[in-house]
Amino acid sequence: MANSTEPQKPQNTKKNKKKGATLDIFYGAKIQNTEQIEDNIKENAPKPSKGNGNSPQTYEEFESEMTKKMEAFWEEKLEIMQKKFTHLQNRYDETEKENQALKARIRQLEDNNHVKEQELIKQSQNTKKLEENIKYLTDKVIDLENRGRRDNLRIIGLPEKPEINTKLDMVIQDIIKENCPEILEQGGNTATVRAHRTPSTLNPQKTTPRNVIAKFQSYQTKEKILQEARKRQFRYKGMPIRVTQDLASSTLNDHKAWNMIFRKARELGLQPRISYPAKLTIYFQGKVWAFNKIEDFQLFAKKRPELCGKFDTENQRARNT
């Protein structure tokens, strides 16, 4: 009689088991707890019979079958993991290509920006040169215009009357006889080429008379009249008038900018003069000082206690307004 074989005790499969270790989700795939799988193996394991030992399925066979199933299970999961990994690798490669393309684009933009900066610098230099050329040409044109007026005198304050406007040439001769007859006595040529009012049309809103421009045949005679006009007040039939050099409008505006300083300097006895094109000269402390800009004169006056505070043009404008 065959001895009944004692059932083999299942090996302790819980050795080196990490309690609480679970794999919940791996890339979306749910994996059962390892302990639960082993408990299911024990529960479903066949009970060995006490007969002759010819049981339908031994424990070793069952364990082998379950091992194959687990291997198939893990192979399936591994295949899924490999697919996910391959997908991620492809995504990484695409991202890396995009990153390299962006880097190349950034380098290209930086290079283009550098080129544009260089072009901008060149354009700025060219613009500066053009501005210098424009200023030079403008000054040249103004100088030529002033030189073209070198034989002219500008008469300011001559009344606006028809009998004067129709006989300006004769009126100018009367002004010379009244204010500087010595020029006529010396035989100077006081004849004029032409004389006219400026502007050509009368503005009814203005109360002051228009200026008169007189062009003389002789430059020397014009200069003599101008020198006499600088020494004293000219008059026409007892009415005060001014006789000055005829200049371009821009130069006249530069002259007008000196008016307030000019009047104050005359009050202080500084003997001011406006020389060509628009330079102020004064006589101070035994020396002749010349100034091309108002700012230069103001700086000069601030450093002299005798003049400091007496040429504050801003306060003067405020008081006048």
Side-chain angles (χ1 to χ4, degrees):
M1 180 181 295
N3 293 329
S4 60
T5 59
E6 294 182 358
Q8 296 180 358
K9 294 182 180 180
Q11 297 178 357
N12 189 2
T13 58
K14 291 186 179 182
K15 291 181 179 180
N16 301 326
K17 187 168 50 176
K18 295 182 181 179
K19 293 184 179 181
T22 59
L23 297 175
D24 294 333
I25 299 174
F26 188 85
Y27 297 107
K30 207 178 257 192
I31 301 176
Q32 292 180 342
N33 191 294
T34 306
E35 295 179 359
Q36 184 178 356
I37 295 175
E38 293 179 353
D39 292 339
N40 292 337
I41 293 173
K42 287 183 179 182
E43 292 177 359
N44 297 327
K47 303 294 189 293
S49 61
K50 295 182 179 181
N52 55 5
N54 296 324
S55 60
Q57 186 178 18
T58 62
Y59 182 81
E60 289 80 2
E61 293 174 348
F62 175 77
E63 185 177 13
S64 175
E65 181 181 353
M66 293 304 298
T67 300
K68 291 180 180 179
K69 289 182 178 181
M70 291 184 67
E71 290 177 352
F73 173 80
W74 285 112
E75 287 177 357
E76 181 182 357
K77 299 303 178 185
L78 180 61
E79 184 178 356
I80 294 173
M81 290 167 59
Q82 289 177 345
K83 290 181 180 179
K84 295 288 185 181
F85 178 78
T86 302
H87 177 71
L88 290 175
Q89 184 66 37
N90 293 336
R91 290 290 301 274
Y92 172 79
D93 294 339
E94 292 176 359
T95 305
E96 186 65 22
K97 290 179 181 179
E98 292 177 357
N99 187 32
Q100 295 298 329
L102 289 174
K103 288 181 178 180
R105 180 61 177 167
I106 290 172
R107 286 194 296 269
Q108 183 180 2
L109 291 175
E110 289 177 348
D111 294 339
N112 293 340
N113 187 44
H114 180 70
V115 172
K116 289 181 179 180
E117 287 179 353
Q118 297 298 323
E119 292 178 354
L120 183 60
I121 292 173
K122 291 181 180 179
Q123 290 178 358
S124 299
Q125 294 174 349
N126 292 335
T127 302
K128 186 177 179 180
K129 291 181 180 178
L130 288 174
E131 290 176 350
E132 292 175 352
N133 291 337
I134 290 173
K135 185 179 183 306
Y136 170 77
L137 293 174
T138 302
D139 294 342
K140 192 70 175 177
V141 169
I142 293 173
D143 181 65
L144 290 173
E145 183 178 356
N146 287 329
R147 291 180 184 277
R149 297 169 181 258
R150 64 193 301 268
D151 298 332
N152 297 357
L153 285 178
R154 183 180 289 263
I155 304 172
I156 304 170
L158 198 62
E160 278 279 359
K161 295 180 179 180
E163 60 270 20
I164 294 177
N165 293 340
T166 55
K167 300 178 181 179
L168 285 175
D169 293 332
M170 296 178 61
V171 170
I172 292 170
Q173 297 300 320
D174 293 339
I175 292 173
I176 296 172
K177 290 178 184 179
E178 184 176 351
N179 296 276
C180 45
E182 62 275 5
I183 296 177
L184 295 174
E185 294 173 359
Q186 295 172 1
N189 181 12
T190 60
T192 56
V193 177
R194 60 180 177 273
H196 64 276
R197 293 274 186 180
T198 181
S200 57
T201 57
L202 178 63
N203 186 354
Q205 296 180 354
K206 286 189 175 182
T207 58
T208 57
R210 293 173 294 170
N211 296 346
V212 174
I213 306 297
K215 183 178 178 63
F216 287 81
Q217 293 181 356
S218 171
Y219 171 76
Q220 290 77 12
T221 301
K222 187 263 323 183
E223 280 295 312
K224 290 179 181 180
I225 297 172
L226 186 60
Q227 289 175 6
E228 294 297 325
R230 288 171 178 168
K231 295 177 182 178
R232 59 183 179 273
Q233 176 74 59
F234 270 32
R235 295 180 178 275
Y236 174 69
K237 294 183 179 180
M239 294 181 296
I241 59 173
R242 285 179 57 202
V243 177
T244 63
Q245 174 67 47
D246 180 37
L247 297 169
S249 58
S250 59
T251 307
L252 287 175
N253 291 332
D254 293 339
H255 280 209
K256 289 179 182 179
W258 288 107
N259 282 350
M260 299 181 70
I261 294 176
F262 186 89
R263 287 195 294 268
K264 189 63 178 179
R266 177 179 287 175
E267 292 175 6
L268 296 175
L270 300 178
Q271 303 176 20
R273 287 189 60 184
I274 303 294
S275 58
Y276 182 83
K279 181 167 63 175
L280 174 69
T281 59
I282 62 173
Y283 186 79
F284 179 70
Q285 294 181 347
K287 295 181 180 179
V288 176
W289 304 81
F291 307 93
N292 291 317
K293 297 181 180 179
I294 295 177
E295 294 79 6
D296 296 338
F297 176 81
Q298 290 175 337
L299 183 62
F300 172 84
K302 287 180 180 179
K303 294 180 179 180
R304 271 71 182 177
E306 301 89 339
L307 305 178
C308 184
K310 297 180 180 179
F311 292 92
D312 192 348
T313 56
E314 296 297 330
N315 293 335
Q316 291 179 17
R317 291 194 187 99
R319 286 195 297 268
N320 292 336
T321 56

